[in-house]
Amino acid sequence: MTKIPVISRRNTFLFGLAAASSSLADSPIQASHDNLPSSLNWGDPAERARIQAAVKGSSGNEKVYSFFRLHIYAYTHKGNLVPLVTMSNLNVGYWKPLENGNYGATIYEAGIYTKFDSHEVLEEFVNPITKKKRKPWRFLGGPLSVEIGPDGIVTGAGATLKPKPMQIQVFGDTVMLPTASAFSFPNPITPKAFPEESSGDIIYWDSHYVFFANLQDVVNKSISNVQSNIQFQNLVSFHPWLGLGGVDGRSWGRAYGTKVSSLDQIPDKYLRGLEKETPEIFDIENWKEPVEDYKEYIYGSRNGIHIIDLQKTL
């Protein structure tokens, strides 16, 4: 049976948490801090771990919300980008300090598609390239455990995802924590069996992520949950629900978001859609079983959508 990596289609937030690989001595995340403010104390491994956790989640024991709007386009190697849909994406992380000096989180997420650059939840999608109607997918992902240390995410030798480390940047009073991820895996939805849904024999994923925070907040050890804004781009093989099988290209996504102190800070028009379509994200106490978006689409029957039977591809 084809093995599907434990990922979520929109789980780039989790990749963004991974600001470095498991390599330590040669990692750019610690390689040079000569041009950084001394107040950042980036040469101290304990401070590197605390700062990354505080900016991306929390260095304390608390729940952290992050909300994004992700605009998704089709790039077909000709002409300009073709607007497709927009996503409202909510992440909920439960953070805590670990006994080994690192920081851990258990993260859940949910996402719903809306009309492009609109709050209106998609009930039906007419693909602008194929002109065919498709049933929009709503997804859930998690729980996923993340551990952050001085040099980013802690991964084992067999980990599927190993984001490339990038140097921290400080411009004026703004701290920027960037990362880049790239990976690929065999597509379980084969072109032969599912010509309308399959994006090809291989699924490709490239994601570039940046967290922005205020320097004074970052160096303040009394602030466990530093307010940060988040921006990322994705270049990803077309998701099967879009029905772009046989179309050469990938989806290109541009997202912007922020950590919010409470759900009340999310605009009501977006929050209402999430509450209606993905109520599970608001009832995590009863979220008992792991949910992986891609496997859900292949195997499941959630939201009344006709789902592909993976066995037909094997």
Side-chain angles (χ1 to χ4, degrees), residues 172-203:
D173 61 358
T174 301
V175 177
M176 289 158 280
L177 292 175
T179 188
S181 301
F183 66 99
S184 60
F185 58 95
N187 191 351
I189 303 175
T190 64
K192 181 178 179 181
F194 302 101
E196 189 169 326
E197 289 86 5
S198 180
S199 60
D201 293 322
I202 305 294
I203 290 176

Side-chain angles (χ1 to χ4, degrees), residues 12-290:
T12 49
F13 174 74
L14 305 177
F15 306 155
L17 294 176
S21 70
S22 56
S23 173
L24 301 182
D26 297 325
S27 174
I29 201 169
Q30 67 157 332
S32 174
H33 47 270
D34 294 340
N35 296 323
L36 298 176
S38 59
S39 60
L40 203 61
N41 198 16
W42 196 246
D44 183 346
E47 272 298 274
R48 289 203 306 276
R50 182 196 69 80
I51 288 171
Q52 291 178 81
V55 171
K56 299 176 179 183
S58 174
S59 60
N61 197 326
E62 61 186 307
K63 181 192 296 186
V64 177
Y65 295 108
S66 298
F67 179 74
F68 306 85
R69 290 283 286 170
L70 171 62
H71 302 300
I72 302 172
Y73 304 76
Y75 176 64
T76 61
H77 303 293
K78 58 182 179 181
N80 294 112
L81 296 171
V82 180
L84 296 176
V85 294
T86 295
M87 171 177 279
S88 294
N89 185 202
L90 175 63
N91 290 271
V92 183
Y94 292 84
W95 289 79
K96 63 180 180 181
L98 303 178
E99 292 183 358
N100 62 2
N102 293 342
Y103 300 86
T106 302
I107 297 176
Y108 305 78
E109 69 165 339
I112 59 171
Y113 292 97
T114 68
K115 292 183 178 181
F116 187 84
D117 200 24
S118 167
H119 71 278
E120 186 177 345
V121 177
L122 271 181
E123 301 297 336
E124 184 178 74
F125 173 62
V126 178
N127 191 300
I129 296 174
T130 66
K131 311 303 180 185
K132 293 182 178 181
K133 295 180 180 180
R134 304 290 298 183
K135 177 69 175 178
W137 175 242
R138 284 80 159 111
F139 82 89
L140 299 171
L144 182 65
S145 296
V146 174
E147 181 177 344
I148 289 181
D151 300 284
I153 195 171
V154 177
T155 62
T160 302
L161 308 179
K162 288 183 177 292
K164 294 181 179 180
M166 300 183 73
Q167 290 187 11
I168 183 175
Q169 302 288 334
V170 180
F171 300 161
D173 61 358
T174 301
V175 177
M176 289 158 280
L177 292 175
T179 188
S181 301
F183 66 99
S184 60
F185 58 95
N187 191 351
I189 303 175
T190 64
K192 181 178 179 181
F194 302 101
E196 189 169 326
E197 289 86 5
S198 180
S199 60
D201 293 322
I202 305 294
I203 290 176
Y204 295 96
W205 191 313
D206 292 86
S207 181
H208 297 257
Y209 221 100
V210 186
F211 289 78
F212 301 85
N214 179 269
L215 176 61
Q216 297 307 311
D217 291 343
V218 170
V219 300
N220 188 340
K221 295 182 181 181
S222 68
I223 302 178
S224 60
N225 181 358
V226 171
Q227 176 58 42
S228 62
N229 298 319
I230 309 143
Q231 194 272 342
F232 65 85
Q233 291 92 24
N234 296 329
L235 188 62
V236 183
S237 297
F238 295 124
H239 194 287
W241 86 260
L242 292 169
L244 284 170
V247 176
D248 190 23
R250 299 193 206 177
S251 62
W252 185 82
R254 175 176 180 261
Y256 36 83
T258 188
K259 289 160 66 174
V260 294
S261 60
S262 70
L263 294 174
D264 293 339
Q265 292 188 339
I266 299 173
D268 187 59
K269 59 186 178 182
Y270 301 137
L271 191 60
R272 285 199 309 268
L274 286 161
E275 288 173 339
K276 177 183 177 182
E277 302 294 338
T278 57
E280 296 89 341
I281 196 68
F282 303 98
D283 187 26
I284 290 177
E285 289 73 14
N286 292 312
W287 188 323
K288 304 300 183 183
E289 300 295 330

